[in-house]
Amino acid sequence: MDFNDDKRQNTRIKRDSGSAGQGEAQDSRARGTESLLAINEHESPANTDRMMEEICEWGNLKQAMWRVKANKGSAGIDGMRVEELPDYRDLLGIRDQLLSGTYKPQPVKRVEIPKAAGGVRKLGIPTALDRWVQQAVMQVLQKHWDGTFSDSSYGFRPGRSTQQAVAQAQQHIAAGYGWVVDLDLEKFFDRVNHDKLMGEIAKRVGDKRLLKLIRAFLNAGVMENGLVSPSVEGTPQGGPLSPLLSNVVLDELDRELERRGHRFVRYADDCNIYVRSEPAGQRVMESIKNFITRRLKLKVNEAKSAVARPQVRKFLGFSVSNGPVIRRILAPQAIERFKGRIREIMQYGKGASFDQVMAKLAPYMRGWRGYFGFCETPEVLIQLTCWVRRRLRAALWRQWKTCRRRRTMLLRLGVHRRLATSTAASSRGPWPLSSTYALCIGLSNAYFRDRGLPALFGPCSV
């Protein structure tokens, strides 16, 4: 569709949308087409044929170097750490290669990290130098492209967060859209079609040097177990440019959903569409699966996708409550992962000091609270904090080992002599004893707070 076609279609939809009785879907189609027109006006290739000069501006290169060094990360196939990168002003030769269109990226290093839900996620780690170049490219492209993406897209976008995505989903449910079409794309980052992606980028970029560079990054290859294999599809996770390219790929899905008038929220490859009934959800599921397969050349993960009530599904670690008031709650899987990680830290703590355990535990809890503290069920956060304290009491009780030392430690912590003696002589195990009066007095909430243990809710966090 060229610019003149867009303009004619936009004028027609504006005229139609002024007629009475067209409904919500018609309004949404008009908004979607106006957004597409804005894309074509803003991203005309005639206006983007010298993007490489913008990328190679010293200010942009300096910011990219600072970002890469701040993010740290593992070394690529050449073994160079980001800390070893020279000053950006000493990379004049690389800048000249970018401007002349002769820069050649190196293959990425394949690493596997375990997923929280099982299985592994394959990452591609670029060399430190390639990471710097990708970051410089990403900063300029994101500045040009981000404003053209859908308002319902939240992943990998500045000023947008998972919390905003969850809140938007909550609003759709509260508005009466009580069924969700939960779509999960199977191995999305590994299956992106390069030709399809480059076609979409070419609509936005007229600079042939930049198109050549992005294609070179996509085709750089992957080194695994010392062998380099070609990259024929996919955008390997691990580089700064990959998240932005994923939004370009899925922007076509967003526009299709807007054209159809759907209410949806997408975060990366996790997309939820909200409808009013189960039959409507089944129809949408089938139709969108066909669109994703035929138009985007991607595949829907049948095992992880479903049409269901949002109360029984999770979205970005959250779910919603039943009842007339829709509240954000923690998904059961999120709670189990939290407890599992705490147990791992406690297991590590069997041969470590209390301070060493806290050095691992406190940052994890602060980060977890920063993300999941957004839920609207503070009682769950309070219970989890109490559970962690109880685990710590049980761990310390094990470390004290003998009856004599346990009595001594309880006395030092201010427990009455008779209570300390009877508790230390108890034959009960560490977990039952962790909730007894003696340990709750000696190892109080204030005791753990003073030693740096954050609370997951309330003013007691450190």
Side-chain angles (χ1 to χ4, degrees):
M1 182 182 292
D2 62 19
F3 176 79
N4 292 329
D5 290 337
D6 285 341
K7 191 171 183 179
R8 286 193 295 270
Q9 183 176 357
N10 185 49
T11 302
R12 184 171 61 255
I13 290 180
K14 281 184 176 179
R15 183 175 63 250
D16 293 344
S17 63
S19 301
Q22 293 299 309
E24 179 186 12
Q26 181 68 58
D27 292 341
S28 179
R29 284 194 292 270
R31 289 195 299 272
T33 308
E34 288 166 3
S35 297
L36 186 58
L37 178 61
I39 290 174
N40 288 339
E41 289 180 334
H42 185 69
E43 293 300 331
S44 172
N47 299 326
T48 60
D49 58 0
R50 293 186 63 80
M51 267 190 166
M52 193 61 79
E53 278 72 18
E54 187 176 354
I55 290 168
C56 290
E57 288 179 356
W58 288 114
N60 185 57
L61 295 177
K62 179 181 179 180
Q63 183 184 12
M65 183 65 73
W66 179 83
R67 289 286 184 187
V68 168
K69 290 188 175 181
N71 291 336
K72 299 181 180 180
S74 304
I77 64 171
D78 60 356
M80 177 188 285
R81 303 190 304 273
V82 292
E83 297 85 358
E84 298 173 331
L85 279 170
D87 188 271
Y88 69 99
R89 289 167 293 194
D90 297 328
L91 295 170
L92 183 60
I94 302 299
R95 183 174 182 270
D96 290 342
Q97 291 177 34
L98 292 171
L99 289 170
S100 64
T102 58
Y103 182 82
K104 293 184 178 180
Q106 297 187 62
V108 299
K109 182 173 71 174
R110 174 75 77 200
V111 297
E112 295 182 349
I113 60 173
K115 291 183 179 180
V120 296
R121 175 178 287 110
K122 293 184 177 181
L123 299 183
I125 307 301
T127 65
L129 195 59
D130 284 344
R131 220 173 302 171
W132 172 59
V133 174
Q134 283 196 35
Q135 180 69 31
V137 172
M138 186 276 292
Q139 289 171 177
V140 170
L141 294 185
Q142 189 169 64
K143 179 174 64 176
H144 283 269
W145 294 354
D146 189 72
T148 70
F149 292 144
S150 169
D151 287 340
S152 297
S153 166
Y154 290 86
F156 310 128
R157 297 183 61 186
R160 291 182 163 236
S161 66
T162 53
Q163 285 88 347
Q164 291 173 330
V166 172
Q168 183 63 63
Q170 181 184 12
Q171 290 179 21
H172 291 327
I173 299 166
Y177 294 80
W179 288 84
V180 60
V181 181
D182 188 350
L183 289 168
D184 184 89
L185 300 182
E186 185 173 312
K187 297 181 180 179
F188 167 69
F189 286 93
D190 298 330
R191 294 183 183 274
V192 171
N193 183 283
H194 287 180
D195 293 335
K196 177 77 174 167
L197 171 57
M198 290 306 303
E200 292 299 319
I201 295 174
K203 295 176 184 178
R204 301 166 177 261
V205 173
D207 194 322
K208 302 300 183 183
R209 297 164 298 174
L210 181 53
L211 292 173
K212 180 182 176 182
L213 178 63
I214 294 174
R215 172 72 81 168
F217 275 120
L218 293 174
N219 296 338
V222 175
M223 177 176 283
E224 191 170 11
N225 299 322
L227 299 176
V228 176
S229 56
S231 302
V232 294
E233 63 179 359
T235 59
Q237 296 181 76
L241 193 54
S242 183
L244 179 61
L245 297 183
S246 72
N247 274 334
V248 173
V249 173
L250 293 175
D251 188 58
E252 188 174 355
L253 172 62
D254 298 339
R255 297 305 170 190
E256 178 66 16
L257 293 174
E258 288 178 343
R259 187 187 69 81
R260 299 183 185 191
H262 290 310
R263 298 196 178 202
F264 71 99
V265 180
R266 183 179 64 80
Y267 193 96
D269 57 340
D270 196 350
C271 182
N272 279 7
I273 307 167
Y274 296 91
V275 296
R276 291 189 182 275
S277 68
E278 185 177 11
Q282 296 294 348
R283 290 193 299 270
V284 170
M285 171 68 84
E286 193 62 30
S287 176
I288 294 300
K289 278 168 55 178
N290 290 336
F291 177 84
I292 290 172
T293 302
R294 296 176 182 175
R295 290 287 297 275
L296 302 186
K297 311 301 183 185
L298 298 170
K299 185 177 180 181
V300 173
N301 189 325
E302 300 283 354
K304 294 184 178 180
S305 301
V307 176
R309 291 287 190 182
Q311 287 82 358
V312 300
R313 303 295 292 179
K314 66 179 180 69
F315 181 55
L316 302 175
F318 292 89
S319 186
V320 293
S321 62
N322 287 302
V325 179
I326 302 297
R327 295 192 301 164
R328 296 183 298 271
I329 64 175
L330 298 178
Q333 299 92 324
I335 295 175
E336 287 306 310
R337 283 198 293 269
F338 173 81
K339 290 186 173 182
R341 180 57 181 148
I342 296 298
R343 291 187 183 101
E344 288 178 8
I345 296 174
M346 294 289 107
Q347 186 71 22
Y348 159 84
K350 287 184 177 180
S353 68
F354 183 79
D355 290 340
Q356 289 174 320
V357 173
M358 288 303 303
K360 287 181 171 289
L361 187 62
Y364 174 73
M365 290 185 62
R366 280 194 291 269
W368 197 90
R369 171 177 171 147
Y371 185 92
F372 287 104
F374 180 65
C375 77
E376 296 176 313
T377 50
E379 62 276 6
V380 176
L381 301 179
I382 293 171
Q383 291 170 5
L384 287 174
T385 304
C386 293
W387 181 83
V388 173
R389 294 194 191 107
R390 189 173 174 186
R391 297 281 309 184
L392 287 170
R393 292 185 184 108
L396 286 171
W397 191 256
R398 290 189 187 94
Q399 286 187 354
W400 293 341
K401 293 184 179 179
T402 66
C403 177
R404 182 174 182 178
R405 176 162 175 75
R406 288 169 174 171
R407 179 178 181 276
T408 300
M409 293 303 299
L410 288 175
L411 291 173
R412 287 181 185 177
L413 292 168
V415 179
H416 189 274
R417 182 178 299 274
R418 181 177 298 176
L419 183 58
T421 301
S422 62
T423 303
S426 174
S427 60
R428 298 167 68 192
W431 182 249
L433 285 171
S434 64
S435 61
T436 58
Y437 186 51
L439 268 68
C440 289
I441 291 176
L443 301 173
S444 64
N445 296 354
Y447 174 90
F448 291 119
R449 183 180 65 243
D450 293 344
R451 282 152 183 80
L453 181 71
L456 298 177
F457 179 79
C460 297
S461 60
V462 177

